[in-house]
Amino acid sequence: MIVVLSLGGSVLMGEGFNAERVREFAEVIERISENHRVFVVVGGGRIAREYINAARELGADETYCDYMGIEVTRLNAMLLAGAIKKAPKFIPHDFKSALELSCNHDVVVMGGTFPGHTTDATSALLAEFAGADILLNATSVDGVYSDDPKKSRDAIKYDKLTFKQLVDIVSGKETSAGVSNVLDLLAAKIIERSKIKTVIFLGTPENIERAVRGEEIGTVVFG
Ligand code: UTP
């Protein structure tokens, strides 16, 4: 299988630097890559948000803030790639370079690409371009809810969604730099147009392996 894993920055890094945590993700990714071709797109997490908030406060425009966020995703990608022996130590900045690298490497790690969206969309675009069989979105919530589960006790978790339902749920939410939603709208639309089977789940190393094995975790989007 061709697997694209979107690894949220907060999932990989936690609240700060935790080398042991990064090592655990690296080990799982190495294991998966023994049987599958793997692309990992790493997010920016708390550090990206802090840079973006500070730059915004200093008067930077949203595109500039996005570029700052992208730099942090690439730094995080470097950290993970440094822990995966067989990953190239070069972080591609675009999808063509990522695909080229994957000809000689079982695992390719990258960060963001261009302004205007988050690494959810980057990973959806990469999944489309690489002809991925599955897109795994390892995030900080255990699936897609009808409402923000941290704010509403009535929020319902969806185990399964169609592509159209995903777009309907995600649309209408904020998309300014650094804003964190379960998935960004562009990602949902790319997933819908290319019908990429997607699993959105709580990002732990064990859950990544379970998702690859096809176990029913989080929210599965298909059909
Ligand atoms: P993230 O993908 O990390 O956003 O990119 P996030 O919503 O904070 O996700 P988590 O917390 O990691 O799960 C960080 C920021 O970098 C910019 C955006 O501003 C985004 O909010 N970015 C990232 C881009 O503009 N383009 C990209 O391709 C990737």
Side-chain angles (χ1 to χ4, degrees), residues 6-187:
S6 175
L7 196 55
S10 36
V11 169
L12 177 69
M13 306 290 289
E15 279 309 298
F17 286 91
N18 184 339
E20 201 41 52
R21 192 183 173 106
V22 175
R23 194 194 320 279
E24 284 171 23
F25 281 106
E27 283 170 1
V28 163
I29 292 163
E30 294 229 25
R31 269 205 299 283
I32 293 168
S33 72
E34 283 163 19
N35 300 309
H36 307 284
R37 214 161 116 208
V38 183
F39 294 88
V40 186
V41 179
V42 182
R46 185 177 64 82
I47 299 168
R49 272 194 296 280
E50 288 188 3
Y51 266 108
I52 287 168
N53 288 340
R56 192 181 282 137
E57 217 176 296
L58 293 165
D61 61 64
E62 289 300 309
T63 303
Y64 192 93
C65 291
D66 282 340
Y67 275 123
M68 293 201 73
I70 291 169
E71 292 300 333
V72 177
T73 65
R74 288 175 179 161
L75 262 184
N76 288 345
M78 277 187 80
L79 189 67
L80 180 65
I84 301 174
K85 279 192 196 66
K86 52 184 171 175
K89 302 303 176 259
F90 167 80
I91 304 302
H93 288 191
D94 60 70
F95 305 124
K96 286 183 180 172
S97 311
L99 221 59
E100 211 173 333
L101 280 173
S102 79
C103 296
N104 296 313
H105 299 272
D106 299 331
V107 190
V108 173
V109 184
M110 68 184 289
T113 47
F114 45 86
H117 52 70
T118 72
T119 46
D120 291 337
T122 309
S123 53
L125 288 161
L126 178 60
E128 183 175 69
F129 192 59
D133 299 287
I134 193 159
L135 171 59
L136 304 180
N137 194 289
T139 183
S140 53
V141 284
D142 64 349
V144 180
Y145 282 78
S146 57
D147 207 339
D148 184 343
K150 286 173 196 140
K151 290 185 191 147
S152 165
R153 280 198 297 150
D154 300 330
I156 301 160
K157 180 178 162 250
Y158 301 108
D159 294 332
K160 287 180 182 141
L161 286 174
T162 64
F163 297 118
K164 170 144 193 333
Q165 283 171 328
L166 179 71
V167 171
D168 289 347
I169 289 166
V170 169
S171 57
K173 297 195 175 171
E174 270 197 83
T175 54
S176 58
V179 167
S180 173
N181 287 316
V182 68
L183 199 79
D184 76 27
L185 180 58
L186 179 61

